[in-house]
PDB file of all heavy atoms in Angstrom:
ATOM      1  N   PHE A  29      29.278 -82.550  42.214  1.00 90.00           N
ATOM      2  CA  PHE A  29      27.929 -82.233  42.678  1.00 90.00           C
ATOM      3  C   PHE A  29      27.870 -80.825  43.256  1.00 90.00           C
ATOM      4  O   PHE A  29      26.904 -80.084  43.031  1.00 90.00           O
ATOM      5  CB  PHE A  29      27.486 -83.247  43.732  1.00 90.00           C
ATOM      6  CG  PHE A  29      26.065 -83.070  44.185  1.00 90.00           C
ATOM      7  CD1 PHE A  29      25.006 -83.357  43.339  1.00 90.00           C
ATOM      8  CD2 PHE A  29      25.780 -82.596  45.454  1.00 90.00           C
ATOM      9  CE1 PHE A  29      23.690 -83.182  43.753  1.00 90.00           C
ATOM     10  CE2 PHE A  29      24.475 -82.417  45.880  1.00 90.00           C
ATOM     11  CZ  PHE A  29      23.429 -82.720  45.025  1.00 90.00           C
ATOM     12  N   ALA A  32      27.765 -78.497  40.357  1.00 91.00           N
ATOM     13  CA  ALA A  32      26.443 -78.537  39.726  1.00 91.00           C
ATOM     14  C   ALA A  32      25.427 -77.749  40.543  1.00 91.00           C
ATOM     15  O   ALA A  32      24.663 -76.936  40.007  1.00 91.00           O
ATOM     16  CB  ALA A  32      25.977 -79.981  39.562  1.00 91.00           C
ATOM     17  N   ARG A  33      25.421 -77.966  41.844  1.00 88.00           N
ATOM     18  CA  ARG A  33      24.464 -77.289  42.709  1.00 88.00           C
ATOM     19  C   ARG A  33      24.715 -75.783  42.752  1.00 88.00           C
ATOM     20  O   ARG A  33      23.785 -74.980  42.686  1.00 88.00           O
ATOM     21  CB  ARG A  33      24.561 -77.877  44.122  1.00 88.00           C
ATOM     22  CG  ARG A  33      23.589 -77.288  45.129  1.00 88.00           C
ATOM     23  CD  ARG A  33      22.181 -77.600  44.752  1.00 88.00           C
ATOM     24  NE  ARG A  33      21.252 -77.105  45.761  1.00 88.00           N
ATOM     25  CZ  ARG A  33      20.058 -76.610  45.482  1.00 88.00           C
ATOM     26  NH1 ARG A  33      19.648 -76.539  44.227  1.00 88.00           N
ATOM     27  NH2 ARG A  33      19.248 -76.213  46.440  1.00 88.00           N
ATOM     28  N   SER A  83      11.384 -88.705  41.427  1.00 75.00           N
ATOM     29  CA  SER A  83      12.800 -88.820  41.743  1.00 75.00           C
ATOM     30  C   SER A  83      13.116 -90.188  42.329  1.00 75.00           C
ATOM     31  O   SER A  83      14.151 -90.791  42.021  1.00 75.00           O
ATOM     32  CB  SER A  83      13.201 -87.716  42.720  1.00 75.00           C
ATOM     33  OG  SER A  83      14.558 -87.796  43.067  1.00 75.00           O
ATOM     34  N   GLY A  87      14.946 -92.171  39.304  1.00 76.00           N
ATOM     35  CA  GLY A  87      16.333 -91.829  39.562  1.00 76.00           C
ATOM     36  C   GLY A  87      16.539 -90.340  39.684  1.00 76.00           C
ATOM     37  O   GLY A  87      16.194 -89.580  38.768  1.00 76.00           O
ATOM     38  N   ALA A  88      17.119 -89.923  40.817  1.00 78.00           N
ATOM     39  CA  ALA A  88      17.297 -88.495  41.074  1.00 78.00           C
ATOM     40  C   ALA A  88      18.241 -87.855  40.067  1.00 78.00           C
ATOM     41  O   ALA A  88      17.967 -86.775  39.536  1.00 78.00           O
ATOM     42  CB  ALA A  88      17.816 -88.290  42.500  1.00 78.00           C
ATOM     43  N   ARG A  89      19.366 -88.527  39.768  1.00 86.00           N
ATOM     44  CA  ARG A  89      20.341 -87.913  38.862  1.00 86.00           C
ATOM     45  C   ARG A  89      19.761 -87.763  37.463  1.00 86.00           C
ATOM     46  O   ARG A  89      19.985 -86.755  36.788  1.00 86.00           O
ATOM     47  CB  ARG A  89      21.622 -88.757  38.815  1.00 86.00           C
ATOM     48  CG  ARG A  89      22.724 -88.126  37.966  1.00 86.00           C
ATOM     49  CD  ARG A  89      24.089 -88.692  38.334  1.00 86.00           C
ATOM     50  NE  ARG A  89      24.298 -90.029  37.849  1.00 86.00           N
ATOM     51  CZ  ARG A  89      25.083 -90.340  36.808  1.00 86.00           C
ATOM     52  NH1 ARG A  89      25.699 -89.382  36.140  1.00 86.00           N
ATOM     53  NH2 ARG A  89      25.251 -91.587  36.445  1.00 86.00           N
ATOM     54  N   ARG A  90      19.019 -88.752  37.015  1.00 88.00           N
ATOM     55  CA  ARG A  90      18.411 -88.676  35.681  1.00 88.00           C
ATOM     56  C   ARG A  90      17.471 -87.479  35.585  1.00 88.00           C
ATOM     57  O   ARG A  90      17.522 -86.713  34.614  1.00 88.00           O
ATOM     58  CB  ARG A  90      17.657 -89.966  35.383  1.00 88.00           C
ATOM     59  CG  ARG A  90      16.910 -89.950  34.047  1.00 88.00           C
ATOM     60  CD  ARG A  90      16.162 -91.265  33.846  1.00 88.00           C
ATOM     61  NE  ARG A  90      17.077 -92.383  33.706  1.00 88.00           N
ATOM     62  CZ  ARG A  90      16.693 -93.663  33.758  1.00 88.00           C
ATOM     63  NH1 ARG A  90      15.423 -93.960  33.965  1.00 88.00           N
ATOM     64  NH2 ARG A  90      17.581 -94.621  33.610  1.00 88.00           N
ATOM     65  N   LEU A  91      16.620 -87.307  36.600  1.00 86.00           N
ATOM     66  CA  LEU A  91      15.672 -86.193  36.552  1.00 86.00           C
ATOM     67  C   LEU A  91      16.378 -84.848  36.651  1.00 86.00           C
ATOM     68  O   LEU A  91      15.953 -83.867  36.025  1.00 86.00           O
ATOM     69  CB  LEU A  91      14.641 -86.330  37.677  1.00 86.00           C
ATOM     70  CG  LEU A  91      13.264 -86.829  37.211  1.00 86.00           C
ATOM     71  CD1 LEU A  91      13.363 -88.277  36.753  1.00 86.00           C
ATOM     72  CD2 LEU A  91      12.234 -86.723  38.330  1.00 86.00           C
ATOM     73  N   MET A  92      17.474 -84.780  37.392  1.00 88.00           N
ATOM     74  CA  MET A  92      18.199 -83.523  37.511  1.00 88.00           C
ATOM     75  C   MET A  92      18.866 -83.147  36.186  1.00 88.00           C
ATOM     76  O   MET A  92      18.887 -81.968  35.806  1.00 88.00           O
ATOM     77  CB  MET A  92      19.231 -83.626  38.634  1.00 88.00           C
ATOM     78  CG  MET A  92      18.610 -83.754  40.021  1.00 88.00           C
ATOM     79  SD  MET A  92      19.812 -84.122  41.323  1.00 88.00           S
ATOM     80  CE  MET A  92      20.486 -82.485  41.627  1.00 88.00           C
ATOM     81  N   VAL A  93      19.393 -84.128  35.466  1.00 92.00           N
ATOM     82  CA  VAL A  93      19.980 -83.861  34.158  1.00 92.00           C
ATOM     83  C   VAL A  93      18.899 -83.420  33.172  1.00 92.00           C
ATOM     84  O   VAL A  93      19.095 -82.474  32.388  1.00 92.00           O
ATOM     85  CB  VAL A  93      20.724 -85.106  33.632  1.00 92.00           C
ATOM     86  CG1 VAL A  93      21.154 -84.896  32.178  1.00 92.00           C
ATOM     87  CG2 VAL A  93      21.935 -85.413  34.499  1.00 92.00           C
ATOM     88  N   VAL A  94      17.752 -84.093  33.195  1.00 91.00           N
ATOM     89  CA  VAL A  94      16.635 -83.694  32.342  1.00 91.00           C
ATOM     90  C   VAL A  94      16.208 -82.266  32.667  1.00 91.00           C
ATOM     91  O   VAL A  94      15.946 -81.453  31.767  1.00 91.00           O
ATOM     92  CB  VAL A  94      15.446 -84.665  32.509  1.00 91.00           C
ATOM     93  CG1 VAL A  94      14.198 -84.129  31.816  1.00 91.00           C
ATOM     94  CG2 VAL A  94      15.802 -86.034  31.947  1.00 91.00           C
ATOM     95  N   SER A  95      16.163 -81.943  33.953  1.00 90.00           N
ATOM     96  CA  SER A  95      15.783 -80.591  34.376  1.00 90.00           C
ATOM     97  C   SER A  95      16.748 -79.546  33.846  1.00 90.00           C
ATOM     98  O   SER A  95      16.332 -78.520  33.292  1.00 90.00           O
ATOM     99  CB  SER A  95      15.746 -80.528  35.907  1.00 90.00           C
ATOM    100  OG  SER A  95      15.728 -79.188  36.355  1.00 90.00           O
ATOM    101  N   ASP A  96      18.049 -79.787  34.019  1.00 92.00           N
ATOM    102  CA  ASP A  96      19.038 -78.825  33.533  1.00 92.00           C
ATOM    103  C   ASP A  96      18.957 -78.654  32.017  1.00 92.00           C
ATOM    104  O   ASP A  96      19.092 -77.545  31.492  1.00 92.00           O
ATOM    105  CB  ASP A  96      20.445 -79.271  33.932  1.00 92.00           C
ATOM    106  CG  ASP A  96      20.756 -78.965  35.381  1.00 92.00           C
ATOM    107  OD1 ASP A  96      20.211 -77.988  35.915  1.00 92.00           O
ATOM    108  OD2 ASP A  96      21.550 -79.714  35.992  1.00 92.00           O
ATOM    109  N   THR A  97      18.741 -79.758  31.293  1.00 93.00           N
ATOM    110  CA  THR A  97      18.625 -79.680  29.835  1.00 93.00           C
ATOM    111  C   THR A  97      17.417 -78.854  29.424  1.00 93.00           C
ATOM    112  O   THR A  97      17.501 -78.010  28.525  1.00 93.00           O
ATOM    113  CB  THR A  97      18.517 -81.098  29.237  1.00 93.00           C
ATOM    114  OG1 THR A  97      19.655 -81.871  29.634  1.00 93.00           O
ATOM    115  CG2 THR A  97      18.459 -81.036  27.725  1.00 93.00           C
ATOM    116  N   ARG A  99      15.838 -76.543  31.183  1.00 92.00           N
ATOM    117  CA  ARG A  99      16.008 -75.129  31.535  1.00 92.00           C
ATOM    118  C   ARG A  99      17.009 -74.440  30.602  1.00 92.00           C
ATOM    119  O   ARG A  99      16.831 -73.272  30.233  1.00 92.00           O
ATOM    120  CB  ARG A  99      16.441 -75.006  32.995  1.00 92.00           C
ATOM    121  CG  ARG A  99      15.328 -75.393  33.969  1.00 92.00           C
ATOM    122  CD  ARG A  99      15.708 -75.135  35.404  1.00 92.00           C
ATOM    123  NE  ARG A  99      16.704 -76.070  35.903  1.00 92.00           N
ATOM    124  CZ  ARG A  99      17.172 -76.063  37.152  1.00 92.00           C
ATOM    125  NH1 ARG A  99      16.752 -75.148  38.011  1.00 92.00           N
ATOM    126  NH2 ARG A  99      18.071 -76.955  37.542  1.00 92.00           N
ATOM    127  N   GLY A 130      11.128 -77.423  35.236  1.00 90.00           N
ATOM    128  CA  GLY A 130      12.430 -78.066  35.378  1.00 90.00           C
ATOM    129  C   GLY A 130      12.959 -77.978  36.798  1.00 90.00           C
ATOM    130  O   GLY A 130      13.558 -78.939  37.308  1.00 90.00           O
ATOM    131  N   LEU A 133      11.590 -80.664  39.013  1.00 86.00           N
ATOM    132  CA  LEU A 133      12.220 -81.963  38.841  1.00 86.00           C
ATOM    133  C   LEU A 133      13.599 -82.011  39.493  1.00 86.00           C
ATOM    134  O   LEU A 133      14.049 -83.067  39.937  1.00 86.00           O
ATOM    135  CB  LEU A 133      12.354 -82.290  37.348  1.00 86.00           C
ATOM    136  CG  LEU A 133      11.067 -82.456  36.540  1.00 86.00           C
ATOM    137  CD1 LEU A 133      11.407 -82.761  35.084  1.00 86.00           C
ATOM    138  CD2 LEU A 133      10.192 -83.544  37.124  1.00 86.00           C
ATOM    139  N   PHE A 134      14.274 -80.885  39.542  1.00 87.00           N
ATOM    140  CA  PHE A 134      15.643 -80.831  40.053  1.00 87.00           C
ATOM    141  C   PHE A 134      15.698 -80.896  41.576  1.00 87.00           C
ATOM    142  O   PHE A 134      16.502 -81.635  42.153  1.00 87.00           O
ATOM    143  CB  PHE A 134      16.309 -79.546  39.560  1.00 87.00           C
ATOM    144  CG  PHE A 134      17.769 -79.441  39.875  1.00 87.00           C
ATOM    145  CD1 PHE A 134      18.710 -79.829  38.937  1.00 87.00           C
ATOM    146  CD2 PHE A 134      18.205 -78.955  41.094  1.00 87.00           C
ATOM    147  CE1 PHE A 134      20.071 -79.730  39.214  1.00 87.00           C
ATOM    148  CE2 PHE A 134      19.547 -78.848  41.387  1.00 87.00           C
ATOM    149  CZ  PHE A 134      20.492 -79.242  40.442  1.00 87.00           C
ATOM    150  N   GLN A 135      14.863 -80.129  42.244  1.00 80.00           N
ATOM    151  CA  GLN A 135      14.997 -79.905  43.680  1.00 80.00           C
ATOM    152  C   GLN A 135      14.944 -81.177  44.525  1.00 80.00           C
ATOM    153  O   GLN A 135      15.760 -81.342  45.440  1.00 80.00           O
ATOM    154  CB  GLN A 135      13.922 -78.917  44.154  1.00 80.00           C
ATOM    155  CG  GLN A 135      14.036 -78.530  45.609  1.00 80.00           C
ATOM    156  CD  GLN A 135      15.359 -77.845  45.918  1.00 80.00           C
ATOM    157  OE1 GLN A 135      15.879 -77.100  45.097  1.00 80.00           O
ATOM    158  NE2 GLN A 135      15.904 -78.114  47.098  1.00 80.00           N
ATOM    159  N   PRO A 136      14.020 -82.126  44.289  1.00 75.00           N
ATOM    160  CA  PRO A 136      13.984 -83.318  45.152  1.00 75.00           C
ATOM    161  C   PRO A 136      15.269 -84.132  45.113  1.00 75.00           C
ATOM    162  O   PRO A 136      15.606 -84.802  46.097  1.00 75.00           O
ATOM    163  CB  PRO A 136      12.799 -84.121  44.591  1.00 75.00           C
ATOM    164  CG  PRO A 136      11.945 -83.116  43.914  1.00 75.00           C
ATOM    165  CD  PRO A 136      12.897 -82.116  43.326  1.00 75.00           C
ATOM    166  N   GLY A 137      15.995 -84.088  44.012  1.00 75.00           N
ATOM    167  CA  GLY A 137      17.214 -84.885  43.899  1.00 75.00           C
ATOM    168  C   GLY A 137      18.343 -84.395  44.781  1.00 75.00           C
ATOM    169  O   GLY A 137      19.260 -85.165  45.107  1.00 75.00           O
ATOM    170  N   VAL A 138      18.334 -83.127  45.179  1.00 74.00           N
ATOM    171  CA  VAL A 138      19.413 -82.582  46.009  1.00 74.00           C
ATOM    172  C   VAL A 138      19.504 -83.349  47.326  1.00 74.00           C
ATOM    173  O   VAL A 138      20.589 -83.768  47.746  1.00 74.00           O
ATOM    174  CB  VAL A 138      19.192 -81.082  46.269  1.00 74.00           C
ATOM    175  CG1 VAL A 138      20.249 -80.543  47.219  1.00 74.00           C
ATOM    176  CG2 VAL A 138      19.214 -80.309  44.954  1.00 74.00           C
ATOM    177  N   ALA A 139      18.357 -83.550  47.967  1.00 67.00           N
ATOM    178  CA  ALA A 139      18.344 -84.280  49.239  1.00 67.00           C
ATOM    179  C   ALA A 139      18.655 -85.754  49.048  1.00 67.00           C
ATOM    180  O   ALA A 139      19.235 -86.394  49.925  1.00 67.00           O
ATOM    181  CB  ALA A 139      16.988 -84.112  49.915  1.00 67.00           C
ATOM    182  N   ILE A 141      20.644 -87.245  46.633  1.00 76.00           N
ATOM    183  CA  ILE A 141      21.999 -87.558  46.182  1.00 76.00           C
ATOM    184  C   ILE A 141      23.046 -87.263  47.255  1.00 76.00           C
ATOM    185  O   ILE A 141      24.040 -87.989  47.388  1.00 76.00           O
ATOM    186  CB  ILE A 141      22.315 -86.782  44.889  1.00 76.00           C
ATOM    187  CG1 ILE A 141      21.539 -87.389  43.725  1.00 76.00           C
ATOM    188  CG2 ILE A 141      23.799 -86.793  44.579  1.00 76.00           C
ATOM    189  CD1 ILE A 141      21.813 -86.732  42.383  1.00 76.00           C
ATOM    190  N   TYR A 191      22.987 -73.680  33.757  1.00 92.00           N
ATOM    191  CA  TYR A 191      22.311 -74.976  33.775  1.00 92.00           C
ATOM    192  C   TYR A 191      23.061 -75.993  32.910  1.00 92.00           C
ATOM    193  O   TYR A 191      23.039 -77.193  33.183  1.00 92.00           O
ATOM    194  CB  TYR A 191      20.874 -74.814  33.305  1.00 92.00           C
ATOM    195  CG  TYR A 191      20.074 -73.885  34.181  1.00 92.00           C
ATOM    196  CD1 TYR A 191      19.542 -72.690  33.676  1.00 92.00           C
ATOM    197  CD2 TYR A 191      19.874 -74.162  35.526  1.00 92.00           C
ATOM    198  CE1 TYR A 191      18.833 -71.820  34.488  1.00 92.00           C
ATOM    199  CE2 TYR A 191      19.165 -73.297  36.340  1.00 92.00           C
ATOM    200  CZ  TYR A 191      18.648 -72.127  35.818  1.00 92.00           C
ATOM    201  OH  TYR A 191      17.948 -71.267  36.624  1.00 92.00           O
ATOM    202  N   SER A 194      25.837 -77.253  35.130  1.00 93.00           N
ATOM    203  CA  SER A 194      25.262 -78.147  36.134  1.00 93.00           C
ATOM    204  C   SER A 194      24.979 -79.526  35.544  1.00 93.00           C
ATOM    205  O   SER A 194      25.348 -80.551  36.121  1.00 93.00           O
ATOM    206  CB  SER A 194      23.974 -77.535  36.699  1.00 93.00           C
ATOM    207  OG  SER A 194      23.319 -78.440  37.569  1.00 93.00           O
ATOM    208  N   GLY A 195      24.327 -79.559  34.390  1.00 93.00           N
ATOM    209  CA  GLY A 195      23.998 -80.843  33.768  1.00 93.00           C
ATOM    210  C   GLY A 195      25.239 -81.636  33.397  1.00 93.00           C
ATOM    211  O   GLY A 195      25.277 -82.869  33.568  1.00 93.00           O
ATOM    212  N   LEU A 198      26.686 -83.253  36.528  1.00 93.00           N
ATOM    213  CA  LEU A 198      25.874 -84.384  36.971  1.00 93.00           C
ATOM    214  C   LEU A 198      26.080 -85.602  36.080  1.00 93.00           C
ATOM    215  O   LEU A 198      26.050 -86.747  36.552  1.00 93.00           O
ATOM    216  CB  LEU A 198      24.399 -83.982  36.997  1.00 93.00           C
ATOM    217  CG  LEU A 198      24.013 -82.960  38.071  1.00 93.00           C
ATOM    218  CD1 LEU A 198      22.589 -82.461  37.849  1.00 93.00           C
ATOM    219  CD2 LEU A 198      24.142 -83.566  39.463  1.00 93.00           C
TER     220      LEU A 198
END
Side-chain angles (χ1 to χ4, degrees):
F29 185 70
R33 182 65 177 144
S83 179
R89 184 160 74 105
R90 176 181 294 168
L91 256 68
M92 293 171 80
V93 171
V94 170
S95 165
D96 282 330
T97 303
R99 291 186 288 182
L133 296 179
F134 187 95
Q135 185 61 36
V138 176
I141 287 182
Y191 299 117
S194 174
L198 291 170

